Amino acid sequence: MDDDDILQSELQELEDLLRSPECTVSKIEQFYQNGVNTVELMLLWKWLLGVAGSSITDWDIPVEHKDLDIITDDVLQISDMPEEQEKMIKILSYYCTARNTRYKAECGWAEVLLPLTSLSYGDMYACFYALLSKFVPRNCKADGKPFHLFRLLLLYHDPELCAFLDTKKCPPDMYAQRWFRSLYVGKCEVQVIREVWTRYLLQGDPFLVFYLALVILVNARDVILDMDNCGGTEIATKITAFPDNLSVEDIEDFVSLAKYYGERTPLSFRHDYHSQLFGNAPTESSFASLSQALCLPISVSELLQKTAEQGVSYLVVDCRPLDQFDSGHLHGAVHLDPDTMLSDPAMFTTNVATVLLTQRKTFLEDDVSLNHLCFMGTSREEEDQLLNMVVAHFLHRKTQFVSSARDGYKALHDLLEENVDIGLEGHDTVNVLCVVKNNPPD
């Protein structure tokens, strides 16, 4: 059997696998690990993207769009092959026309198209459409919402590095725009991009774009922290270029580390923001206060879930007044009176040390997944100002894994409803109802 016959046999084997009702991602991954050529890789990508092809069969259409000059400039910057350029310009123009949208310079769409140019027009368009809607975060622009969310993710895992970049006035939108909007195409070699995207699609998790960015920063934290004499713009330029040096051999560990951080990130990070970041029909936004959030907010429902579904569970630090805490609190919660921060600093310092000791003890006795703090307040603005001071104190100490319960104790009480006596420890119906009813309406 000559080489052509072998290639044809392997291609037929892949096509049979993809048509089989028993085809799974794990089988696709196994086939990929044995090595694939470009044709086979594109078939894998189509299957993983859920793409059967485009219903548009006639691509012999005039290239017309009000932003055609901008599209052409972007394409010419990243491709020097006339056949590629023609396909990319035609598809980008058609996409903008069909979606009735303007094309903005350096928006990343041309970069997303680049690895797909070996496909037919129809398949190229369908894969491009699927990637934009399923995997490229919406609103990737200066001061965009994905970057406020990423900053909170960085703060959660590495508060020291986040504080350094904040001090240098180097927010994520200055260095991660290119990463997010092009899915890391940038200036990486073609084989590196193919490896990154294949691993990405095998995971099927659009939030991997955030965790990959986190890995890039954490792995380079010593280099970044040594840039103390640099300004924010210079630091951002250097950080942006970090992925350009990746090799194919780096990608498996790169993605594995991203999965590691994803498993140690609250489920709320995915659940609460998925529909607002990805897809064609954004839901009502929960992003309004993210730019002002002191730490990562999580839903109170996550505090009630068992660790079987996730790699994170919590030590809840209840910062409500002591009488409210005594009238009902989550099982296992510890109380930290924020009033003592001002009235009795020595007592506050002792109480903080106790919380941190409990956190470390949990970490040592059980599992790293339990080494996370969630601060709970009343959801009353006046009282939660003290809560914010407490959270800021822990972050100033470079404490990792700090979050806050969104809408505080009231949300927890409302969620439990009829099971409140079971779900809460020391529940006093009369006093707790008084506390909850006195909370301001949502």
Side-chain angles (χ1 to χ4, degrees), residues 72-86 88-89 110 114 117 190:
T72 302
D73 287 345
D74 269 12
V75 169
L76 295 181
Q77 285 184 36
I78 63 171
S79 173
D80 55 6
M81 299 176 64
E83 185 178 349
E84 278 187 355
Q85 294 168 358
E86 180 183 356
M88 293 170 69
I89 291 169
L114 187 61
T117 51
V190 173

Side-chain angles (χ1 to χ4, degrees), residues 139 143-152 155 272-273 276 284-298 381 388 404-408:
N139 202 26
D143 200 37
K145 296 170 183 177
F147 304 112
H148 294 307
L149 187 60
F150 177 71
R151 180 192 167 277
L152 293 176
L155 179 66
D272 293 351
Y273 304 107
Q276 296 151 42
E284 185 178 346
S285 177
S286 298
F287 279 104
S289 59
L290 273 188
S291 62
Q292 304 300 321
L294 193 59
C295 63
L296 186 68
I298 67 169
E381 183 177 352
N388 292 338
S404 62
R406 185 183 289 111
D407 298 325

Side-chain angles (χ1 to χ4, degrees), residues 31-46:
F31 189 97
Y32 174 73
Q33 296 289 4
N34 293 329
V36 296
N37 58 38
T38 299
V39 174
E40 292 167 343
L41 182 63
M42 294 302 110
L43 283 174
L44 293 183
W45 283 6
K46 285 174 58 180

Side-chain angles (χ1 to χ4, degrees), residues 202-276:
L202 285 168
Q203 293 301 315
D205 179 8
F207 281 88
L208 197 65
V209 71
F210 290 92
Y211 306 132
L212 290 171
L214 181 64
V215 171
I216 291 170
L217 263 65
V218 172
N219 281 0
R221 74 184 311 274
D222 291 340
V223 174
I224 296 171
L225 293 174
D226 281 343
M227 298 181 189
D228 198 33
N229 294 325
C230 300
T233 302
E234 183 181 357
I235 293 173
T237 301
K238 292 180 178 180
I239 293 176
T240 299
F242 284 161
D244 297 346
N245 298 317
L246 287 170
S247 67
V248 173
E249 292 73 26
D250 296 328
I251 305 306
E252 184 174 0
D253 288 342
F254 183 36
V255 175
S256 294
L257 280 171
K259 288 173 57 181
Y260 171 89
Y261 282 107
E263 290 165 357
R264 284 152 182 80
T265 298
L267 287 175
S268 298
F269 185 78
R270 289 186 180 92
H271 291 176
D272 293 351
Y273 304 107
H274 182 278
S275 61
Q276 296 151 42

